Amino acid sequence: MNDVISAISTAAGTGGVAIIRLSGEGSLAIAEKMFAPAGKIKDFQPNVMYAGNIDGGDFTDFGMCVYFKAPKSFTGEDVVEFHCHGGVRIARGILSKTISLGARAAEKGEYTKRAFINGKLSLSSAEGMIDMINAESLASLRAGSMLYGEKLTAEIKELQSALTDILAEIAADSDYPEEDLDGLNAEKIHASIEEAAKKLKKLSSTYACGKKIKDGVTVAICGKPNTGKSSLLNALLGYDKAIVSDEAGTTRDAVEGDLQINGIKYNLVDTAGIRERAGMVESIGIDRAKKIITSADVVVSVTDGNGEAVPDGVTGSIIRVFNKCDLSSPEGEFDAVVSAKTGAGLEELKGLIAEKTVGELTLDKAYIIEERHYSALLRAEQSLNSAIENVGIFTPDILAIDIKDAWDSLGEITGETANEQIISTVFEKFCVGK
């Protein structure tokens, strides 16, 4: 990686400032050919922002230039940044000038990939960075921040360390059997592996909640026509999203809107009112409603006292809501009693939705939010469970094969044992300038 890469690192379009970033040995030499400081300087000092003229080829822009000397930079290499005015043509002109002087256009995620290769961050930390960039909710941002801050990496390395200790004991016993080191036996091996497996299982169990944190939660609002489903959607969102009418069958297709509860994104879906006698178009909407309800994380079944309408076969979380409590009192048992018109009971309903889907969320905890990490943890669990089952059947050196497989699976999360295909797939998620 001796070549210099260059890219525009700010978002495309007109803005106050644009940043063109170079990384690699030779970045400073290119900068010295393009940048004329406003005052006299002997040479570029690292970590100092200089003002001056930037050569854009056919034009000159007055801006700033800063140099970060390896290894004290994001990528671990020499890095130079030009901070120019945010016009599209200005940024592209300066980028073209860097390429004409020997740099090449950076590929997607190449800056962060170089940081990973140079040991500046783990592979899971890089994934946390892109999760932060793409976060649409506070909870997703916090979970990405935990990942980027190497919290998961620390937990993985702790597990690997425990497995390394087991492997070391097995190796020592195999190499020096006559020493009878600490009396290595089946019970001791079993207890050590089982303890590691429990910690693995506890960590992987956070994926169910972590997936909701990252992707959001789908809430299907269903019920018979004219029970106030659309009114409830609008009331929960705080603005008019769905059309409200006294005419039965007004909602013929799903109407969606996003809401954040305790920092988590909830996708509310108002479905068509479910009834037996409906026209052809309305029937299509009802069929779609049934599919949405079946796949939703939680179903809010709305009634105003005229019966419920939850399709057969729905076995997930169902919140039975009595609406229009401002007009009449509910008969029977309901999970929530609300009035979409007055707002009564809405906060309680939001709390119930959160309780049914994610429970009590701890934002300073490392949740598994990446499917890749979850898959690696399951494979590590499977290997350790295999070792546990075979304790007392096979010799310790045979058990070590499963334990080492578990160690390698965990290494895929941090990047220690990840192959090039895994690494490339991770960094392809990034934009060109990151």
Side-chain angles (χ1 to χ4, degrees), residues 291-303:
K291 291 179 181 178
I292 293 169
I293 292 167
T294 303
S295 62
D297 295 299
V298 64
V299 175
V300 173
S301 175
V302 184
T303 180

Side-chain angles (χ1 to χ4, degrees), residues 145-391:
S145 177
M146 289 291 112
L147 195 54
Y148 177 56
E150 304 284 16
K151 191 169 181 64
L152 177 60
T153 297
E155 293 194 27
I156 294 300
K157 286 189 175 295
E158 185 178 334
L159 284 166
Q160 286 182 306
S161 178
L163 297 181
T164 298
D165 289 343
I166 298 172
L167 290 170
E169 286 192 53
I170 291 174
D173 186 71
S174 298
D175 292 340
Y176 305 100
E178 70 280 356
E179 299 292 335
D180 190 28
L181 299 176
D182 296 328
L184 185 67
N185 56 49
E187 287 186 8
K188 185 176 181 180
I189 294 176
H190 186 277
S192 297
I193 301 174
E194 196 167 56
E195 178 64 23
K198 285 180 181 178
K199 290 180 179 179
L200 259 177
K201 190 172 186 61
K202 183 179 179 181
L203 186 58
S204 64
S205 69
T206 66
Y207 179 66
C209 184
K211 183 171 173 55
K212 292 183 176 70
I213 290 173
K214 181 179 179 180
D215 299 335
V217 179
T218 300
V219 181
I221 302 175
C222 72
K224 291 190 173 183
N226 281 354
T227 54
K229 301 182 302 301
S230 297
S231 296
L232 181 59
L233 172 72
N234 292 340
L236 288 170
L237 295 177
Y239 62 91
D240 290 341
K241 176 73 174 183
I243 298 173
V244 176
S245 170
D246 291 334
E247 181 181 340
T250 299
T251 302
R252 297 191 175 188
D253 204 350
V255 180
E256 301 183 29
D258 292 341
L259 169 71
Q260 288 203 26
I261 304 175
N262 298 334
I264 293 181
K265 177 185 173 184
Y266 286 81
N267 181 37
L268 307 183
V269 187
D270 175 25
T271 61
I274 299 174
R275 58 176 176 168
E276 295 300 323
R277 296 179 180 179
M280 183 177 67
V281 175
E282 188 181 349
S283 295
I284 295 173
I286 292 173
D287 288 340
R288 289 181 179 177
K290 291 179 179 179
K291 291 179 181 178
I292 293 169
I293 292 167
T294 303
S295 62
D297 295 299
V298 64
V299 175
V300 173
S301 175
V302 184
T303 180
D304 58 0
N306 295 317
E308 298 179 86
V310 179
D312 295 336
V314 176
T315 57
S317 296
I318 300 174
I319 300 175
R320 290 175 167 80
V321 177
F322 179 87
N323 190 21
K324 304 180 183 180
C325 68
D326 55 310
L327 299 179
S328 62
S329 299
E331 294 183 5
E333 294 186 3
F334 294 92
D335 299 309
V337 177
V338 306
S339 170
K341 183 177 181 179
T342 67
L346 291 184
E347 291 305 313
E348 290 79 1
L349 176 57
K350 290 178 184 178
L352 189 56
I353 291 172
E355 181 184 330
K356 286 276 190 178
T357 52
V358 298
E360 190 173 341
L361 190 66
T362 305
L363 293 180
D364 60 351
K365 177 181 176 180
Y367 289 91
I368 302 300
I369 60 176
E370 296 290 336
E371 186 177 350
R372 186 183 76 82
H373 299 169
Y374 181 59
S375 176
L377 288 172
L378 291 184
R379 281 186 276 112
E381 277 187 64
Q382 186 176 12
S383 295
L384 290 187
N385 288 335
S386 174
I388 291 171
E389 291 173 3
N390 291 318
V391 170

Side-chain angles (χ1 to χ4, degrees), residues 81-97:
E81 289 182 355
F82 291 116
H83 294 230
C84 64
H85 289 95
V88 176
R89 183 66 186 85
I90 297 173
R92 288 179 180 174
I94 294 172
L95 173 63
S96 295
K97 184 65 177 179

